Amino acid sequence: MTPRDLATLAQLRRARDLIDRDYARPLDVPTMARHALMSPAHFSRQFKAAYGETPYGYLMTRRIERAMALLRAGSNVTDACMAVGCTSLGSFSSRFTELVGQTPSSYRAREHGAMSMVPACVAKAATRPSRHRAASPAAASLTAAQKSRIREATAASAA
């Protein structure tokens, strides 16, 4: 990697940190690009090349991930939607269903007690929403046995 590549990654990381920290604020690509010291178009291309998804896609994934935690804690769907920075319940529900595979209401109604027995780092990797499950490095690093135990624990708590 060249020094220029490293500098670009550092700039992208600044924008990614902004998304992770301020996901509930209204964020758009030009704002993210300003934090990365790049033009919006160049930033979008570089971000997708580095992280495998668009900046907006990454933002929405983080929002859905945080909404999942709120729903597991018992928050209602509308409150979770607004708390993570989404302004449209319909768009939130559509994106949630696309990434998680079920509606926010059905996710909230599910039993989540088994996840409390799983180490937090494993639970986070296993429940992280992703349009392309294999694209999530944390989920890909789980062994088949770990994934099986998580599925068994979730199924046992649902029964």
Side-chain angles (χ1 to χ4, degrees):
M1 235 181 199
T2 69
R4 186 173 187 185
D5 292 339
L6 291 175
T8 297
L9 286 176
Q11 291 171 306
L12 292 172
R13 182 61 190 187
R14 234 187 329 261
R16 187 172 158 184
D17 288 346
L18 170 75
I19 296 168
D20 289 340
R21 184 181 56 248
D22 295 336
Y23 64 89
R25 277 190 15 205
L27 290 174
D28 56 10
V29 173
T31 301
M32 295 177 221
R34 268 195 307 279
H35 275 77
L37 307 173
M38 296 178 186
S39 72
H42 183 66
F43 168 71
S44 292
R45 284 189 303 274
Q46 292 296 313
F47 193 96
K48 182 163 179 141
Y51 298 115
E53 62 184 321
T54 65
Y56 182 75
Y58 182 81
L59 170 64
M60 288 307 295
T61 301
R62 294 291 74 77
R63 285 178 173 174
I64 298 301
E65 181 178 46
R66 274 33 174 232
M68 289 171 68
L70 292 171
L71 293 170
R72 282 193 303 269
S75 183
N76 71 44
V77 175
T78 303
D79 290 344
C81 170
M82 297 303 160
V84 298
C86 294
T87 55
S88 165
L89 187 58
S91 297
F92 168 77
S93 294
S94 296
R95 181 58 67 102
F96 190 100
T97 303
E98 175 188 341
L99 293 175
V100 179
Q102 57 186 308
T103 65
S105 299
S106 63
Y107 182 81
R108 180 181 183 266
R110 245 178 52 193
E111 175 59 44
H112 299 284
M115 290 311 285
S116 64
M117 296 183 292
V118 177
C121 58
V122 175
K124 186 174 181 178
T127 60
R128 173 164 281 154
S130 174
R131 190 171 302 145
H132 311 288
R133 263 296 176 201
S136 171
S141 68
L142 293 174
T143 66
Q146 288 171 322
K147 290 177 185 176
S148 176
R149 282 194 297 270
I150 290 169
R151 279 192 298 275
E152 287 170 9
T154 304
S157 70

